Amino acid sequence: MQHHHHRSARQPLATARTRAAVRALALILAPVVAATAQECGVMEALGSLPGGGHASSVAVSADGEVVVGYVEVGPWSWRAFRWTAATGMVDLGTLGGPNALAFGVNEDGSVVVGGTNAANGDPRFFRWSAATGMQDVGIAGGGGYAADAACTVLVGDLTLPGAVLHAFRWSAATGVQDLGTLGSLDSHARGVSADGAAVVGASGSPSHPFRWTAASGMVDLGVLSGFDRATAYGANADGSIVVGTAGDPFGPRRAFLWSAAAGAQELGAPVSTWSEATAVSADGHVVVGNAGLAPNGWESRAFRWTEASGPLDLGTLGGAQAWATATNANGAVVVGAAQDASGVRRAFRWTRTAATGTVYCAGAANNSTGVAGRISVQGCACVAANELQLDASGLPPYGYGCFLASRYPSAPLPIVGTQGALCLAGFIGRFVGPGQVSNAGPGGALSLVIDLRALPSSLGSVAAQPGEEWSFQAWYRDANPGPTSNFTAAISVRFAGP
């Protein structure tokens, strides 16, 4: 789970955050381009508070069901909110002052943390739950930016004498820890791993991104070649992947992704635009952020990036701009702010369209385990996202098998020498490339993430198109009682666009 702040909205306490090594990052990362390919999902506005204006979602629970952030309720007056589909947006109050901004929520959404003002105007940090309401955490001064997955570790900037800012980490066990600098005057914490062990941010002039742990202290992550400054905004669950943005005084900034194995790698953008990576999923598979649209580059669009799809535009709420600030644990939900048709910035939650399929030929013949093999899909049935996984279960343990595909379903067709029936017709293709024929293992299951740009057919590879319906089935070996083979049920999937 990620907990982040919105920085592109340019509001108080506004900032942004966050696969174990993204396959060691040896691959060339797909660039963040002007947002022409759009991700399949739904962006919903989360409403407002009484008298509310501009708003931003800042953090989201692990399952994506609870969103927190802030709403402008008057001139220089902001209120923290907690949103669920059942309650809508709820004002969390203040500690006597005019402002409160939420920047973290725990895994199940029951605890919210953020910054507020005491009655005398002094900045304070708060912890909120339904049982206790808003409570003073006991940290005075500075600004907070992120929290770990349990909301027991807070990070941000601590104001020292002379208006110097130092990155800090706080927990009840350690109290406030000054994380120091990279040899410069200031440092700034902008993100923390879900386990609370790794803090990321920037220090120096020009700034360099850092990763801090108790064991290593503050370590300079380096800057992309061709740039002289960078800031880290977020980290994955264990802090092994860090994301942020690099720049220089004379050109647009570029999103980057760092790992110990590969160092900083550019996520990229065309020369005419800018980009920033603001958050990353718990396992590092999904990065979210923002990019400027070509040719002028001033329009910001939120994107969601995976290795398979590259960066995909999440759309808007009817206006010209959108900013992504955080993603949930598995990267299926993104939150942030987007303009509506009137130009007001609204807090949003974007949810990826989940893959669904229609199972047919469900009366497949029982195999040696006494049951029929089953098939299902998960991920996203969006051609642009390219994240569809086929799963077969109820198979004989340790038997080999593969998946089949066709544009044309059929009634059960018995095949000589096998048990069960083939339920595909036409130009049937087999997933028999490297690594695609696999062993069902002790659990009797097969899984395969398929490339929608190269579905097999008897005529060669075919790219799936939005609106098309494809059917899939698994074939597998068995001994029942002698050597034979069988088929699972079949499933049809209609692909979404654009």
Side-chain angles (χ1 to χ4, degrees), residues 98 130 203 214 378 380 401:
S203 177
Q378 61 177 309
C380 181

Side-chain angles (χ1 to χ4, degrees), residues 168-460:
F168 79 87
R169 178 188 184 275
W170 174 93
S171 72
T174 64
V176 174
Q177 297 172 275
D178 185 336
L179 304 188
T181 72
L182 292 175
S184 61
L185 193 63
D186 293 337
S187 62
H188 310 277
R190 293 295 179 261
V192 61
S193 56
D195 63 9
V199 182
V200 301
S203 177
S205 183
S207 64
H208 275 215
F210 72 76
R211 178 180 180 272
W212 178 97
T213 67
S216 68
M218 187 177 288
V219 176
D220 190 336
L221 300 185
V223 177
L224 289 173
S225 176
F227 298 91
D228 69 352
R229 64 199 66 195
T231 297
Y233 290 125
N236 70 332
D238 64 2
S240 60
I241 302 293
V242 178
V243 298
T245 189
D248 61 54
F250 308 106
R253 60 191 186 274
R254 297 288 187 267
F256 74 83
L257 188 153
W258 175 95
S259 76
Q265 303 287 309
E266 185 177 340
L267 221 54
V271 173
S272 60
T273 66
W274 55 267
S275 65
E276 60 184 7
T278 60
V280 58
S281 62
D283 61 5
H285 277 88
V286 180
V287 178
V288 303
N290 307 298
L293 290 181
N296 54 44
W298 69 268
E299 290 188 13
S300 174
R301 289 296 178 87
F303 69 79
R304 180 181 184 273
W305 175 96
T306 70
E307 290 181 71
S309 69
L312 297 176
D313 184 356
L314 300 187
T316 73
L317 293 173
Q321 307 207 62
W323 304 268
T325 59
T327 187
N328 73 324
N330 68 5
V333 176
V334 182
V335 300
Q339 289 179 331
D340 63 18
S342 65
V344 175
R345 191 174 62 254
R346 303 293 186 184
F348 77 76
R349 183 181 73 152
W350 178 95
T351 306
R352 186 182 62 168
T353 303
T356 59
T358 302
V359 176
Y360 65 99
C361 281
N366 289 353
N367 55 44
S368 59
T369 69
V371 301
R374 301 178 295 275
I375 191 168
S376 61
V377 296
Q378 61 177 309
C380 181
C382 177
V383 171
N386 199 18
E387 294 178 42
L388 188 69
Q389 178 173 307
L390 305 177
D391 296 308
S393 58
L395 312 184
Y398 302 107
Y400 280 87
C402 68
F403 290 95
L404 313 175
S406 177
R407 286 287 312 279
Y408 308 99
S410 80
L413 176 65
I415 304 297
V416 175
T418 71
Q419 298 173 337
L422 178 65
C423 298
L424 308 178
F427 305 107
I428 300 171
R430 302 176 298 161
F431 290 94
V432 292
Q436 293 183 336
V437 178
S438 56
N439 187 293
L446 302 174
S447 291
L448 181 66
V449 177
I450 62 176
D451 186 350
L452 300 182
R453 300 165 299 185
L455 295 177
S457 82
S458 59
L459 299 179

